Structures are given as C-alpha cells and as structure tokens.
Amino acid sequence: MQHFPIFLAVAGRRIVVAGGGETALAKLRLLLKTEAHVTVIAAEPGADVLRLATEGRIRLLPRAMEPGDALCAALFYAAHDDAAEDRRTAGLAHADGALVNIVDNLAESQFITPAIVDRDPVTIAIGTEGAAPVLARKIKADLEERLPASLGLLARIGKSFRHVAESLPMGRKRRDFWADYYFKTGPEALEAKGKEGVTPALHQLLDAHLASDAKEGHVDLVGAGPGDPDLVTLKARKALDAADVVIYDRLVTPAILELARREAIMIDAGKEGFGSAMAQDDINTLIVEHARTGAQVVRLKSGDPTVFGRLDEEIEAILAAGISYRIIPGITAASAAVASIGQSLTRRHRNASVRYLTGHDTKGFAEHDWKALARPGEVAAIYMGKKTARFIQGRLLMHGADPATPVTVVENVSRPDQRILATTLAQLEPTLTEARLTGPALTFYGLAPRQAETLCSPELAPLFQPTEGHAT
Ligand code: SAH
C-alpha cells in the first residue's frame, strides 16, 4: 500500500484550490460537501466559479497565486490544466506548509483524492493508487446502487442515540442492538412513519434488548467453497460477518478469512492429510467451549462441510453440549473442478450416477467397490487422492478398467494458481508424481477436459473458455 487511507478533520480549516476552470470545478464539487473554508485562486475564473463566489460558498482571489496564499491551509489542489502553472503553485503551497495535490499527477502529489460514496456520516473512499480509475468508478457505482439513500439519515439518528445505548453492556449485546437497528427496526420505522418514527423505535428496541436474556451460543458449520471468495455463498458471508469466533481448516484461503468480522477470534485448526495438526477431539472441544461462553461460532470448512468434512463428529459434540447449530452448504471441490474443465458430472447415456471417493481414510488407503468403478462410463471424483494415486490406479486396472479411461487432475481449483493435468488411467502415475503438485488436488476418473475432447473437432474448440489460471 503506497497510500494510507485516512479521514481528515477539515471542519473550519482552509482548503485552497488554484485554478478556475473545469478541473478546479470538479474538485470544488467534492470539497463543498465538507465544512471546510474553501478558497479559490484564479486569474481568469470561469462562470461557475464566479457564481460560487457570489453565493458566498467560496472565497475567490481573482489573480495569480502568490507566496503565503496557502498559509494555514490543510490541503492544496493545483488544478489549472497547465503543468507549468500547477508546478509553480504547488511549490508555493508546499512552502506554505499545505499538503499538496496536483490533479492528475500522481507522482508529484502528496495525497490523492479517492472516489467517494457519500451517505454522510457514512463515507466510503475508494482508491486504486492511480492504477485503475475505471475500477474505482465501477466499485463506486455498485456501492451507490447497494446502499440505500436512507443510510445516512439512519446513521445520523443512530449517532445521537449512542450515549443512550451505552446502558447495554459492551460487546455482543450492544452489537446485536445496533445490527437490529440498522438492518431491521431502523429501515422499517423510516418506511412506516418517516423520520419522526425512528427515535421512538430506537427507544422501544433498546427496552426490548435490555429486557432480553443473555444470548446463547450457537455454531454455524459453514462451507467456504474451494478457495475463490466469489464462490462463498451469501449465507456463509453473513455467518462470517456475525461471527465471534472462526475455527477454520488448512484449506480455507486467506481471501475468505478476510470476510470474517474484524473483531472475530480466528483459530487455525489446520489439518494435514494422513494425520492431523489438531486432533478431531480437540477441535470438537474447542467448538463447544467457545459456544458455551455465548459466542457465535463459525466452524469454517473448505468446500462443502458435508463432504469428507468429519461433520458428524462435530455435530454430535455440539448436540451433546445442548448447543444449537446450522449447516451452511458450500461448493464442493468436485463441483468447482468439473466446471473448470467445462464438463458435467453426469451425462445422459454415459453415467447416471457419480461417486465421491476419498483416497484415504483414517486407517490409510480407502477400499471401494473397484469392480463397479471399472465398468465403462463410470465417473468418480476422488478427494485426497494425490498420495494414493498409484494404489487407486492399481486397484482399478486389476479389476479390469480400460487403461485408456480419461483421468483429469485439477490442482488448486478456483484459485489463481489452478492447474489441470489431463491423462489416462494407465498414465496417472507417473504423471502425477512428475507434475510435483503442491496444492490440494481433485482427481476425476472417467472425465477429460472438454477442451481436450474437442481438439479433434475444431468448430467446437473455441466454445470452451477455460477458467483463469488454467494451464493444461
Ligand atoms: N469438504 C471439502 C473436501 C475436504 S477433503 C470439499 O467439499 O471440497 C480435502 C480434499 O478436498 C483435498 O485433499 C482435495 O482432494 C479436495 N480439495 C479441497 N479444496 C480443493 C481445491 N481448491 N482444489 C482441489 N482440490 C481441493
């Protein structure tokens, strides 16, 4: 981060803008939202600037800038559309001790102005360090759409009620009260009775919260998906946003952990294949202990929590402790992986069922109905299959599977470093070992990437768009 975002107190302070044309005007539109005293210095001010001066909204110095004009100014903008004059005035302002911005000159500016979403007092500043103004504008447009215009009003009323709400104990209880206000009671009161209805609704809500008993603990067993934060469900996001404690697995990516509420306690219960970093019993105890303190616990598992996630053991521990729980499904690795190879898990006349297999279980290599799997057209998604590839290959060949059966391994599904290896059952090993995979991998038995299939059919090949980070 080359620029550190802050909110500067400018009420009653001076801000000086040098320049009187369109560029200066664009900055003035933003600056006049603040309570700062704005001075414009322009030898030839445009009509709009003159109007602002007549209306008393700015102080206008109708001449070229001189030393001392920016004395005591918090901020200075050089906005002339004339590089030489910008540089000269910026130098003067600098000598006067102001923080200097030269419009559209990132390198010589001491600060930059972000794109702003204004729901005063809620203000969102978006910056890209000059790298992608288009992106900042798009994010701004999205937020403008998403944030109701009433947000500012609710926040202003809420702010004046803060000292009253201090009668609630700090922490969870007070947070619940405010969440209830901003997302339910506040908007409802505003809609039903207008602005006047909001403060009475706040008093009622406070009484209700003061009267309610201490909140009970709860556990959400949440699927984090395969790694891409865009593949996390809205429900999972909401649970993460409300969490007091997040207990997460090794395969959950940092980008997803970022979605957790900032104050949440983050606990790494990372587990490696074949053996574990934290024993399952210890994880169960951890979940229960935290929930017993009244916390909202999120047990965050990669993919879908119901697929090879040892979910039942955790649920049993939670139930035995008399704690409530909820399962929030996620996108399992097989679903994301099959999408990345442009294929479908089931297909008419090919396979009417698909199996999710684990390469190993707690006892070591996992046995399956190899004979059934060896039949033509079968499809299986093999989890935890890296170290067990040779074993699975041997078992399937021994039971008569066609050595030419396609096998596809997708490493780091949905992540920027995703890799796809297309091979056959006969070649699975040594292909897999030679590829030296380092990330989690999902192996498809009986499926090839559609791209590979269509190579001999050039009119179809361009239709398949491989996902990002795809390297075959
Ligand atoms: N509950 C998880 C699976 C946990 S078992 C799910 O539904 O996806 C762990 C195995 O899942 C890994 O060994 C690997 O085979 C697979 N896996 C999980 N995330 C993956 C990813 N991003 N890319 C490839 N495989 C993944």
Side-chain angles (χ1 to χ4, degrees):
M1 205 189 281
Q2 291 175 3
H3 293 80
F4 183 63
I6 54 165
F7 288 90
L8 192 68
V10 292
R13 298 200 61 189
R14 289 188 78 210
I15 297 180
V16 177
V17 177
E22 276 304 313
T23 306
L25 196 65
K27 283 289 171 275
L28 286 172
R29 280 196 197 102
L30 286 179
L31 294 172
L32 288 174
K33 287 171 180 272
T34 72
E35 294 171 29
H37 298 304
V38 181
T39 298
V40 177
I41 307 170
E44 292 167 13
D48 288 317
V49 170
L50 281 171
R51 185 178 43 76
L52 288 174
T54 319
E55 290 169 2
R57 300 185 65 198
I58 59 166
R59 182 171 163 242
L60 178 64
L61 301 180
R63 56 166 170 77
M65 183 168 168
E66 295 167 6
D69 278 346
L71 271 179
C72 300
L75 302 175
F76 173 84
Y77 283 91
H80 296 93
D81 294 320
D82 171 347
E85 185 59 0
D86 273 348
R87 197 156 293 141
R88 183 187 79 82
T89 56
L92 291 176
H94 195 65
D96 285 344
L99 265 183
V100 171
N101 171 277
I102 303 179
V103 177
D104 290 335
N105 183 343
L106 182 71
E108 291 178 51
S109 291
Q110 289 175 299
F111 71 95
I112 49 180
T113 317
I116 294 170
V117 179
D118 175 15
R119 298 287 186 278
D120 185 41
V122 179
T123 311
I124 302 167
I126 306 151
T128 63
E129 311 235 12
V134 176
L135 195 58
R137 276 198 290 277
K138 170 82 175 93
I139 296 169
K140 174 177 154 67
D142 286 352
L143 287 171
E144 292 282 5
E145 247 172 54
R146 264 178 42 192
L147 299 178
S150 61
L151 191 72
L153 179 61
L154 287 178
R156 273 197 298 281
I157 299 173
K159 194 174 171 186
S160 67
F161 199 78
R162 285 196 87 83
H163 62 286
V164 188
E166 275 165 19
S167 51
L168 281 166
M170 233 170 77
R172 166 124 235 125
K173 277 212 91 164
R174 213 181 283 172
R175 258 195 337 264
D176 285 349
F177 166 77
W178 285 116
D180 203 335
Y181 166 63
Y182 280 112
F183 301 109
K184 190 166 178 291
T185 313
E188 281 173 8
L190 198 61
E191 198 176 316
K193 301 200 180 117
K195 195 176 155 189
E196 308 310 317
V198 179
T199 306
L202 263 172
H203 280 286
Q204 259 182 18
L205 184 68
L206 182 62
D207 288 345
H209 276 254
L210 282 170
S212 77
D213 293 337
K215 199 150 185 158
E216 298 208 335
H218 171 85
V219 183
D220 279 334
L221 301 150
V222 179
D228 177 354
D230 279 354
L231 293 180
V232 177
T233 66
L234 279 177
K235 209 167 198 170
R237 278 176 183 260
K238 285 183 191 158
L240 281 167
D241 200 43
D244 296 308
V245 180
V246 178
I247 303 171
Y248 61 92
D249 278 349
R250 181 180 59 93
L251 287 178
V252 178
T253 53
I256 290 171
L257 295 178
E258 283 284 319
L259 301 173
R261 197 164 63 79
R262 188 135 44 117
E263 298 80 10
I265 301 168
M266 306 297 289
I267 302 172
D268 181 356
K271 295 203 284 179
E272 299 280 344
F274 285 118
S276 54
M278 191 185 268
Q280 187 61 48
D281 280 348
D282 294 339
I283 297 176
N284 299 349
T285 308
L286 203 61
I287 297 172
V288 168
E289 273 176 1
H290 279 285
R292 277 204 174 121
T293 67
Q296 296 290 303
V297 179
V298 164
R299 171 71 176 113
L300 191 61
K301 292 164 176 288
S302 75
D304 183 279
T306 72
V307 179
F308 303 126
R310 301 193 67 177
L311 189 66
D312 298 75
E313 291 153 73
E314 293 177 7
I315 293 176
E316 278 152 26
I318 294 164
L319 280 178
I323 295 162
S324 67
Y325 76 94
R326 181 171 68 145
I327 301 173
I328 300 181
I331 294 184
T332 189
S335 297
V338 80
S340 77
I341 62 169
Q343 287 285 18
S344 168
L345 281 176
T346 60
R347 180 178 179 154
R348 243 184 219 207
H349 310 306
R350 181 190 65 200
N351 63 313
S353 69
V354 60
R355 290 167 211 242
Y356 288 8
L357 308 182
T358 169
H360 67 80
D361 53 26
T362 44
K363 296 185 211 78
F365 295 148
E367 289 294 352
H368 298 282
D369 184 352
W370 304 111
K371 202 160 166 233
L373 272 167
R375 286 194 299 254
E378 290 292 322
V379 170
I382 305 169
Y383 290 71
M384 294 168 278
K386 273 198 303 191
K387 291 179 188 160
T388 52
R390 194 172 291 285
F391 168 77
I392 292 170
Q393 178 185 38
R395 281 287 196 276
L396 283 165
L397 289 173
M398 200 169 84
H399 285 84
D402 181 352
T405 308
V407 171
T408 308
V409 182
V410 192
E411 184 198 25
N412 293 318
V413 173
S414 86
R415 303 179 188 177
D417 49 358
Q418 172 175 298
R419 266 211 297 176
I420 297 174
L421 299 174
T423 181
T424 58
L425 182 60
Q427 291 303 313
L428 174 58
E429 283 297 4
T431 307
L432 198 58
T433 303
E434 283 166 5
R436 294 175 188 278
L437 305 187
T438 52
L442 195 287
T443 303
F444 285 118
Y445 166 72
L447 283 181
R450 189 176 299 269
Q451 194 187 37
E453 258 182 7
T454 51
L455 279 184
C456 37
S457 152
E459 70 277 11
L460 277 179
L463 294 177
F464 172 59
Q465 297 284 325
T467 52
E468 275 175 84
H470 175 280
T472 305

